[in-house]
C-alpha cells in the first residue's frame, strides 16, 4: 500500500541484522523504477551524538548584528547542521537564534540591541539529536565593525596671505566605528603636474595653514582621514583657490556649520566664527536656509544674533534643509559659509531625551542614554552651548551607554540649557534640557517618620516656592484638610509639605498625593502607604514607645516591670504595686494563621501580629527547606505583619510553607499549603504559543506577528521594541481577538529591525514572549534562507 509521506517507520526488524532500503514512486500511470539502495543500516544500533564545534569566535558586524565563525568537525564527521544560541551577559537564559539548522560554519546573528553585550555558543545536529554546547565565546558588545573612514569633503578657504592659505574641511560621513586620529593633507599647484604632501604626521584638527606658497598661483587641496583601522579614502580635489592676500573690510566666512538635536520640526544649528575679521570684530550673524534642490535662500533672522548657535523651529517634518551663515562687522556682511550637509527634519527612531530627576540621596540629576556608541565615544556636556558646566558645581558619572550629570548644590547659578552630544558616531546623537525657575524639582521624595509620641509623619521637600504656591493633598481620591488628628503643614519658603497623623490605624493606609502649583509650574508626588512602608527603624520606635508607656517604674511601685513568654506565645508584663500585681498582655507573638493573598507581582503569604519588632527572629521554610530572600522571593516584616512575597510564581512554588517565630527562648511554627492555591499559578498571565525565534522580511512588505495568551483575569498587554513600549499608530497596529494577539507593521523598513516582545500581566503574575525581526532590502535575499508566504500579505524568512 503506497504511503503519502517521505517518511515511513519499519517495525519487527531483527536486532543486530543489517538492512538496505530503496523507494519507488507511484502515480495514476503506474510505479516508477526503484531508487538507488541506501547504505546498510543495523537495526537496534544506538546512534551517538556528535561533538560540538570548537573555536567559536564572535566578530563585530553592524550596530544590530554579530558575525559568528567556528571550526568544522574533524575526522570527517558531517553534521546535519548547527544551532546557534545567545544570551545577554548578566542573564542566565539562552535564546535560540535560528529555527532550522545552518549548514555552513559562519552565521550572522541579526536583531541584537545596539550597545548590549552578548555571549554565544553552537551545537551540532545529527540524526541522534543535539550535541553538547560548544565553549562560550568571549563577551562582545554589539557595535559596527571598525573600518577605515570615508573621505573628508567640503573644502573651504578661511584666510589667505601673500604666501599662505588657511584651509578648512568637513569630517568623513563614515568614521569607521572609532575615533578619527587625524588627517593627511595634499596640495597641488595648478601650474605643476604633481601633488605634494603638506604634512607627514596626522593633523588632529580640520583647519590647517599651508605655507610657502607662490603669490598669485592657483592651488587645490585633498585630504584623507586616519583611524585605528588605517588610512581612509582620499577626497576629491577642492576648488581652485587663488593665493592672494585678503584685504576686504568685511569678515571672512564662518565655517563648520552643523546641525544637532534634529527633531520633527526643529534642530540646533552651530558654527565657528570667521578666522578673518576684516576691519573690526564680528558683531553678529545672519542665518539662511533653503530646501534641498532649491537655489532660493531665505534669511531666518531679521536681526543679527551674537552667539554662534541658533535653534531653528517650525520646520516641516520630513523635508530636507540646507543652512549657511554670514558674519557681520562694522563694515558690512561678509561672504556666506560653505552650506551645511543636507539634514531631514525628522526624529529618528530610538532618539532619547535628557531625563531630569532626583536620585535616592536627594540630588537633582540629568541623565542621557545613547542608543549607540563606540569604544572611543565620549559624552560631551555643555551649559548654554558655551562649553562644559562648571566642574565645581556638577559631577558627571558614566556607565555603559549612559551619562549622568549631578548638580552638587542646586541654585539659580545652575539655571540654563544643558546639552549633551556623543562623539565618534556617524549619526547625530544629541539632546538638551532647560533648567528654569518654573520647574518644581523634587528634592527629598516622600519620607515616613515615627515621632516620639507615636505619631506618624509623612513629609516631602521641593525647592523653595513662592508665596503664591498652592497645595492640594489627596488621600484615596479625597482632598484632605488640616484637623487636630491629621495636621497639614505647608512651609512655602522651605518647600516643605508635612502631614502628621495621630493614632495611626488601618484607615490611614492608602494613596497620598501632593499636588503643587507655583505660577505656571505644577507637579505632583504620590506615596502608596502600606504596611511595607513602615521601616524596621520606625517599627522599633513604636515598640520603644509602647514599652515606655508600660514601664511603671517609680515611687509607687515595689518592683520594676518584668516580662515572660507564655505557652500560647503571649508576652506577659508584670509589676507589683504595694500588694497588687498588674498584668498586661501584649500579643506580640500571638500571630494569626498564615494567609495567602494574590498580588499584581505574584503571591503574598503573611501573618498579622501585634507590635512585631526586629529583635524577634523569623525563618521561612518551603517543603521543610529553609528559604532566603532572592530575586523572586522577598521576605520582610512591618510593625504588625510578617510576610513572604513570591514574584512570578510557577508550579515549582506549590507546596507547604512554614513560618518559624523565635523569641530567644521559645519558638512557634505556622504553616499553610500553597497547593490549594494553585489557581494563582494557573491563572497567571502567560504567553502560551506562537512567536518564532527569528523572522526575516523584505522591506516594504507587511509583517504580522501572532501569539496566544492566557490568564484569568484577562491580562494587560504591552508590546515593546528593544525594551521600549510601542505606540500603536501609523504603520503599527494591534488586534486582539480572545486569546489571539496580533501585531501588524505595514511597509517595514530597516528601522523596524530589532527585538520585539509581548509583555502580559495580571494580578497573579506576568510573562514575556520575544521574537527578533530582521529586515533586508529588495534583491538581497540572504543566503541560506527560504521564503514562506503567510496570510495577510506577510512574508517571513526562516534559516534553512
Amino acid at each position: 500500500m503506497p504511503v503519502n509521506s517521505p517518511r515511513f517507520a519499519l517495525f519487527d526488524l531483527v536486532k543486530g541484522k543489517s538492512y538496505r532500503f530503496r523507494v519507488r514512486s507511484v502515480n495514476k500511470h503506474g510505479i516508477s523504477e526503484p531508487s538507488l539502495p541506501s547504505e546498510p543500516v543495523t537495526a537496534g544500533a544506538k546512534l551517538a551524538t556528535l561533538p560540538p564545534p570548537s573555536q567559536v569566535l564572535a566578530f563585530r558586524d553592524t550596530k544590530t548584528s554579530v558575525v559568528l565563525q567556528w571550526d568544522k568537525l574533524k575526522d570527517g564527521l558531517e553534521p546535519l547542521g548547527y544551532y546557534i544560541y545567545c544570551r545577554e551577559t548578566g542573564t542566565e537564559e539562552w535564546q535560540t537564534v535560528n529555527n532550522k539548522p545552518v549548514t555552513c560554519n559562519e552565521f550572522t546573528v541579526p536583531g541584537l540591541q545596539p550597545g548590549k553585550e552578548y555571549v554565544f555558543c553552537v551545537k551540532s545536529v545529527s540524526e541522534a539529536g543535539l550535541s553538547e554546547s560548544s565553549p562560550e565565546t568571549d563577551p562582545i558588545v554589539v557595535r559596527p565593525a571598525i573600518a577605515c573612514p570615508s573621505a573628508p569633503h567640503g573644502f573651504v578657504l578661511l584666510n589667505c596671505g601673500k604666501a599662505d592659505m588657511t584651509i578648512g574641511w568637513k569630517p568623513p560621513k563614515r568614521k569607521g566605528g572609532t575615533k578619527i586620529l587625524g588627517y593627511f593633507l595634499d596640495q597641488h599647484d595648478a601650474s605643476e603636474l604633481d601633488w605634494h604632501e603638506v604634512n607627514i604626521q596626522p593633523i588632529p584638527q580640520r583647519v590647517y595653514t599651508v605655507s610657502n606658497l607662490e603669490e598669485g598661483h592657483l592651488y587645490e587641496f585633498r585630504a584623507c582621514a586616519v583611524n585605528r583601522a588605517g588610512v581612509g579614502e582620499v577626497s576629491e580635489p577642492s576648488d581652485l583657490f587663488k593665493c592672494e592676500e585678503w584685504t576686504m573690510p568685511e569678515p571672512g566666512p564662518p565655517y563648520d556649520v552643523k546641525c544637532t538635536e534634529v527633531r520633527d520640526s526643529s534642530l540646533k544649528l552651530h558654527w565657528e566664527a570667521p578666522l578673518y575679521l576684516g576691519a573690526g570684530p564680528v558683531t553678529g550673524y545672519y542665518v539662511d536656509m533653503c530646501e534641498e534642490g532649491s537655489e532660493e535662500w531665505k534669511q531666518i533672522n531679521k536681526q543679527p544674533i551674537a552667539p554662534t548657535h541658533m535653534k531653528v523651529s517650525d520646520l516641516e517634518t520630513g523635508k530636507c534643509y540646507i543652512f549657511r551663515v554670514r558674519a557681520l562687522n562694522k563694515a558690512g556682511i561678509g561672504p556666506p559659509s560653505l552650506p551645511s550637509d543636507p539634514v531631514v527634519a525628522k526624529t529618528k527612531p530610538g532618539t532619547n531625551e535628557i531625563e531630569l530627576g532626583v536620585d535616592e540621596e536627594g540630588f537633582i540629576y540629568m541623565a542621557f542614554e545613547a542608543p549607540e556608541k563606540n569604544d572611543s565615544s565620549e559624552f560631551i556636556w555643555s551649559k548654554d552651548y558655551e562649553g562644559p558646566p562648571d566642574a565645581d558645581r556638577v559631577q558627571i558619572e558614566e556607565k555603559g551607554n549612559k551619562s549622568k550629570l549631578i548638580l552638587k548644590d542646586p541654585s539659580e547659578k545652575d539655571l540654563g540649557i544643558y546639552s549633551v552630544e556623543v562623539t565618534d558616531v556617524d549619526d547625530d546623537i544629541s539632546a538638551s534640557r532647560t533648567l528654569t525657575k518654573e520647574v518644581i524639582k523634587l528634592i527629598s521624595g516622600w519620607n515616613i517618620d515615627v515621632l516620639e509620641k507615636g505619631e506618624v509623619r509623612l513629609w516631602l521637600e521641593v525647592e523653595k516656592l513662592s508665596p503664591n504656591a498652592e497645595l492640594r493633598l489627596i488621600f484615596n481620591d479625597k482632598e484632605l484638610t488640616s484637623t487636630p488628628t491629621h495636621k497639614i503643614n505647608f512651609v512655602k519658603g522651605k518647600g516643605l509639605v508635612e502631614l502628621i497623623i495621630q493614632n495611626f490605624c488601618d484607615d490611614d493606609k492608602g494613596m497620598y498625593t501632593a499636588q503643587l502649583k507655583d505660577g505656571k509650574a505644577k507637579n505632583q508626588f504620590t506615596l502608596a502607604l502600606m504596611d511595607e512602608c513602615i521601616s524596621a527603624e520606625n517599627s522599633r520606635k513604636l515598640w520603644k514607645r509602647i514599652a515606655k508607656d508600660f514601664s511603671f517604674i517609680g515611687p509607687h511601685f515595689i518592683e520594676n516591670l518584668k516580662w515572660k513568654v507564655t505557652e500560647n506565645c503571649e508576652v506577659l508584663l508584670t509589676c507589683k504595686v504595694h500588694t497588687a500585681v498588674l498584668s498586661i498582655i501584649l500579643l506580640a507573638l500571638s500571630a494569626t494563621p498564615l494567609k495567602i493573598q494574590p498580588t499584581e507581582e505574584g503571591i503574598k503569604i503573611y501573618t498579622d501580629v501585634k507590635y512585631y519588632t526586629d529583635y524577634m527572629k523569623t525563618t521561612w521554610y518551603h517543603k521543610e527547606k529553609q528559604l532566603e530572600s532572592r530575586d523572586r522571593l522577598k521576605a520582610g516584616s512591618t510593625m504588625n505583619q510578617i510576610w513572604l512575597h513570591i514574584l512570578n510564581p510557577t508550579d515549582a512554588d506549590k507546596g507547604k510553607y512554614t513560618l518559624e517565630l523565635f523569641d530567644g527562648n521559645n519558638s512557634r511554627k505556622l504553616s499553610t499549603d500553597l497547593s490549594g492555591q494553585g489557581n494563582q499559578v494557573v491563572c497567571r498571565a502567560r504567553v502560551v504559543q506562537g512567536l518564532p525565534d527569528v523572522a526575516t522580511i523584505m522591506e516594504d512588505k507587511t509583517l504580522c506577528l501572532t501569539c496566544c495568551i492566557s490568564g484569568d483575569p484577562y491580562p494587560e498587554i504591552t508590546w515593546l521594541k528593544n525594551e521600549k513600549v510601542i505606540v500603536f499608530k501609523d504603520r503599527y497596529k494591534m488586534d486582539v481577538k480572545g486569546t489571539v494577539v496580533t501585531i501588524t507593521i505595514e511597509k517595514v523598513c530597516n528601522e523596524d529591525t530589532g527585538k520585539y516582545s509581548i509583555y502580559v500581566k495580571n494580578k497573579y503574575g506576568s510573562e514575556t514572549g520575544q521574537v527578533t525581526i530582521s529586515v533586508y532590502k529588495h534583491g538581497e535575499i540572504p543566503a541560506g534562507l527560504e521564503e514562506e508566504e503567510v496570510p495577510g500579505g506577510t512574508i517571513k524568512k526562516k534559516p534553512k
Side-chain angles (χ1 to χ4, degrees):
M1 181 177 179
V3 295
N4 296 321
S5 170
R7 297 173 183 269
F8 187 73
L10 294 172
F11 300 96
D12 300 326
L13 300 179
V14 178
K15 185 176 180 181
K17 282 193 174 184
S18 294
Y19 297 87
R20 301 177 76 186
F21 303 92
R22 66 184 189 183
V23 180
R24 291 178 292 168
S25 301
V26 62
N27 64 11
K28 64 180 181 180
H29 299 291
I31 301 174
S32 71
E33 293 295 322
S35 68
L36 293 174
S38 70
E39 296 294 325
V41 178
T42 303
K46 185 177 180 181
L47 297 176
T49 58
L50 294 176
S54 59
Q55 292 295 329
V56 182
L57 302 175
F59 302 95
R60 286 166 57 168
D61 183 43
T62 71
K63 64 182 180 182
T64 59
S65 63
V66 165
V67 173
L68 293 183
Q69 294 179 352
W70 56 91
D71 291 344
K72 291 185 177 181
L73 300 184
K74 298 179 181 179
D75 301 325
L77 297 175
E78 289 291 339
L80 297 177
Y82 303 93
Y83 276 110
I84 296 99
Y85 303 85
C86 78
R87 80 178 159 81
E88 189 177 331
T89 54
T91 65
E92 297 182 357
E93 183 178 355
W94 287 92
Q95 296 184 355
T96 307
V97 171
N98 51 319
N99 287 327
K100 294 183 178 180
V102 296
T103 55
C104 57
N105 61 329
E106 180 176 315
F107 189 79
T108 300
V109 182
L112 303 176
Q113 294 189 42
K116 298 286 187 180
E117 189 177 64
Y118 293 86
V119 292
F120 302 87
C121 69
V122 181
K123 294 183 180 181
S124 304
V125 184
S126 66
E127 291 86 349
L130 291 173
S131 71
E132 297 292 325
S133 297
S134 70
E136 296 179 11
T137 64
D138 292 333
I140 184 171
V141 177
V142 182
R143 288 176 184 159
I146 295 176
C148 293
S150 60
H153 64 292
F155 289 84
V156 61
L157 182 60
L158 299 176
N159 200 354
C160 192
K162 291 181 179 181
D164 58 78
M165 288 180 170
T166 301
I167 305 297
W169 58 91
K170 294 181 180 180
K173 293 183 179 179
R174 299 188 309 277
K175 297 177 178 60
T178 186
K179 184 177 182 179
I180 300 295
L181 301 176
Y183 298 87
F184 292 105
L185 185 65
D186 296 336
Q187 71 181 49
H188 176 231
D189 189 327
S191 64
E192 300 176 357
L193 292 176
D194 299 329
W195 285 82
H196 301 283
E197 293 179 349
V198 172
N199 58 300
I200 299 176
Q201 296 299 321
I203 304 167
Q205 67 277 359
R206 288 182 287 108
V207 174
Y208 192 76
T209 300
V210 183
S211 305
N212 301 319
L213 303 177
E214 294 288 337
E215 185 176 8
H217 283 223
L218 294 172
Y219 291 90
E220 59 183 346
F221 301 88
R222 68 186 185 189
C224 57
V226 59
N227 64 9
R228 285 170 51 195
V231 179
E233 304 170 10
V234 178
S235 69
E236 293 293 326
S238 69
D239 294 335
L240 288 169
F241 302 129
K242 189 173 184 179
C243 185
E244 59 181 5
E245 187 174 10
W246 284 4
T247 59
M248 67 272 198
E250 299 84 10
Y255 66 101
D256 212 10
V257 181
K258 67 175 184 177
C259 302
T260 64
E261 302 175 39
V262 181
R263 303 296 186 263
D264 283 342
S265 59
S266 66
L267 55 81
K268 193 76 180 182
L269 198 67
H270 306 259
W271 60 88
E272 297 293 332
L275 299 182
Y276 176 80
L277 299 180
V282 172
T283 56
Y285 298 93
Y286 288 102
V287 178
D288 303 330
M289 175 183 74
C290 80
E291 295 182 18
E292 187 182 28
S294 170
E295 296 183 358
E296 182 180 351
W297 289 93
K298 175 186 175 183
Q299 183 175 301
I300 298 178
N301 53 317
K302 294 181 180 180
Q303 298 297 325
I305 60 172
T308 56
H309 53 84
M310 176 183 180
K311 184 171 183 178
V312 183
S313 303
D314 300 324
L315 299 177
E316 190 172 337
T317 304
K319 279 197 173 180
C320 188
Y321 296 92
I322 301 173
F323 301 89
R324 70 182 187 187
V325 183
R326 295 170 292 151
L328 173 72
N329 67 7
K330 64 181 182 180
I333 302 174
S337 68
L338 198 69
S340 68
D341 289 335
V343 60
V344 178
K346 185 178 181 181
T347 304
K348 292 183 179 179
T351 297
N352 293 329
E353 303 297 347
I354 293 176
E355 172 194 352
L356 176 65
V358 179
D359 62 21
E360 296 177 353
E361 298 179 359
F363 289 103
I364 297 174
Y365 70 86
M366 281 170 278
F368 181 74
E369 184 173 6
E372 61 175 293
K373 63 187 286 286
N374 297 317
D375 295 333
S376 62
S377 295
E378 298 180 54
F379 292 92
I380 305 299
W381 286 90
S382 178
K383 172 97 182 310
D384 297 324
Y385 301 101
E386 300 296 335
D390 186 347
D392 293 333
R393 303 200 60 78
V394 303
Q395 176 183 339
I396 297 176
E397 299 175 352
E398 291 185 13
K399 184 177 181 181
N401 279 25
K402 195 167 186 177
S403 179
K404 187 176 182 181
L405 183 145
I406 303 170
L407 302 179
K408 296 180 179 179
D409 186 16
S411 71
E412 292 190 5
K413 295 180 181 179
D414 298 301
L415 301 181
I417 301 173
Y418 291 81
S419 61
V420 64
E421 186 175 355
V422 180
T423 67
D424 302 333
V425 290
D426 292 339
D427 296 326
D428 168 62
I429 300 178
S430 55
S432 65
R433 185 74 185 248
T434 303
L435 204 61
T436 67
K437 290 182 180 179
E438 285 73 28
V439 180
I440 298 180
K441 294 172 289 293
L442 183 63
I443 291 179
S444 69
W446 278 108
N447 295 273
I448 305 172
D449 289 338
V450 177
L451 305 182
E452 200 61 34
K453 294 182 180 180
E455 300 164 319
V456 174
R457 176 186 181 234
L458 311 181
W459 62 279
L460 64 84
E461 184 182 3
V462 300
E463 285 198 339
K464 178 181 178 181
L465 301 174
S466 73
N468 298 321
E470 300 173 12
L471 166 69
R472 291 183 68 213
L473 193 56
I474 311 297
F475 173 63
N476 290 345
D477 299 323
K478 182 179 179 182
E479 185 170 357
L480 292 178
T481 57
S482 188
T483 66
T485 59
H486 292 71
K487 186 178 180 181
I488 300 174
N489 296 319
F490 183 28
V491 185
K492 301 176 184 179
K494 295 182 179 180
L496 178 67
V497 177
E498 183 182 65
L499 172 65
I500 298 176
I501 304 173
Q502 293 183 357
N503 304 319
F504 184 86
C505 63
D506 285 345
D507 292 340
D508 295 310
K509 299 173 185 175
M511 302 292 289
Y512 289 83
T513 300
Q515 296 179 344
L516 291 167
K517 184 177 180 182
D518 194 2
K520 295 182 179 179
K522 58 183 179 181
N523 210 338
Q524 69 177 35
F525 316 111
T526 299
L527 167 69
L529 181 59
M530 302 300 174
D531 287 337
E532 291 85 351
C533 297
I534 306 293
S535 67
E537 177 63 25
N538 285 333
S539 297
R540 189 156 48 247
K541 288 181 180 178
L542 282 179
W543 173 255
K544 288 180 178 178
R545 180 62 198 171
I546 292 165
K548 182 178 179 181
D549 289 342
F550 290 110
S551 297
F552 301 105
I553 304 172
H556 300 287
F557 295 89
I558 298 174
E559 293 182 359
N560 291 344
L561 186 67
K562 298 179 181 179
W563 68 280
K564 71 176 181 177
V565 179
T566 69
E567 293 181 356
N568 296 324
C569 288
E570 296 176 340
V571 174
L572 179 65
L573 302 179
T574 61
C575 62
K576 287 187 179 181
V577 185
H578 296 293
T579 60
V581 175
L582 177 61
S583 298
I584 303 171
I585 304 298
L586 292 179
L587 303 180
L589 289 178
S590 59
T592 63
L594 289 179
K595 302 174 186 177
I596 298 174
Q597 173 188 351
T599 70
E600 289 188 0
E601 295 81 14
I603 298 174
K604 180 180 176 182
I605 305 174
Y606 69 96
T607 176
D608 293 320
V609 296
K610 300 285 187 180
Y611 307 121
Y612 170 77
T613 81
D614 56 358
Y615 297 115
M616 303 174 189
K617 183 179 179 181
T618 61
T619 308
W620 286 94
Y621 298 88
H622 179 218
K623 298 177 182 178
E624 311 304 328
K625 182 180 178 181
Q626 184 174 334
L627 296 176
E628 296 180 359
S629 285
R630 53 181 187 268
D631 290 343
R632 285 201 318 108
L633 294 176
K634 305 291 184 183
S637 59
T638 62
M639 178 174 58
N640 52 13
Q641 193 177 90
I642 305 168
W643 47 267
L644 175 70
H645 206 166
I646 306 171
L647 308 180
N648 295 322
T650 65
D651 287 337
D653 295 312
K654 293 181 180 180
K656 180 181 177 182
Y657 284 81
T658 301
L659 169 64
E660 182 180 31
L661 302 170
F662 184 67
D663 68 350
N665 297 311
N666 303 291
S667 66
R668 181 186 178 190
K669 292 185 178 181
L670 306 171
S671 298
T672 188
D673 197 329
L674 192 58
S675 300
Q677 303 293 329
N679 215 28
Q680 280 94 349
V681 178
V682 174
C683 294
R684 68 185 292 257
R686 302 289 298 270
V687 180
V688 293
Q689 278 182 12
L691 295 176
D693 298 316
V694 180
T696 307
I697 184 170
M698 183 188 295
E699 63 181 2
D700 292 331
K701 296 285 187 178
T702 297
L703 174 68
C704 291
L705 300 174
T706 299
C707 65
C708 295
I709 65 173
S710 67
D712 186 17
Y714 194 84
E716 300 175 11
I717 303 170
T718 305
W719 281 91
L720 303 98
K721 176 189 174 187
N722 295 337
E723 299 182 359
K724 293 186 178 179
V725 175
I726 295 175
V727 178
F728 287 96
K729 62 179 182 178
D730 301 330
R731 297 185 300 111
Y732 285 72
K733 297 178 175 60
M734 183 174 69
D735 182 51
V736 180
K737 293 181 179 179
T739 60
V740 180
V741 182
T742 301
I743 177 176
T744 303
I745 307 174
E746 298 175 349
K747 294 183 178 180
V748 297
C749 58
N750 187 58
E751 296 172 351
D752 297 317
T753 294
K755 182 172 290 184
Y756 290 74
S757 55
I758 179 173
Y759 175 74
V760 293
K761 176 183 177 182
N762 65 10
K763 67 180 182 179
Y764 297 127
S766 62
E767 191 168 281
T768 301
Q770 294 182 335
V771 57
T772 297
I773 303 300
S774 180
V775 180
Y776 64 95
K777 296 183 178 180
H778 292 279
E780 295 184 0
I781 296 177
L785 297 184
E786 66 177 7
E787 186 170 279
E788 176 189 350
E789 299 282 351
V790 300
T794 302
I795 295 183
K796 292 183 181 178
K797 294 282 181 174
K798 295 185 178 180
K800 289 184 178 179

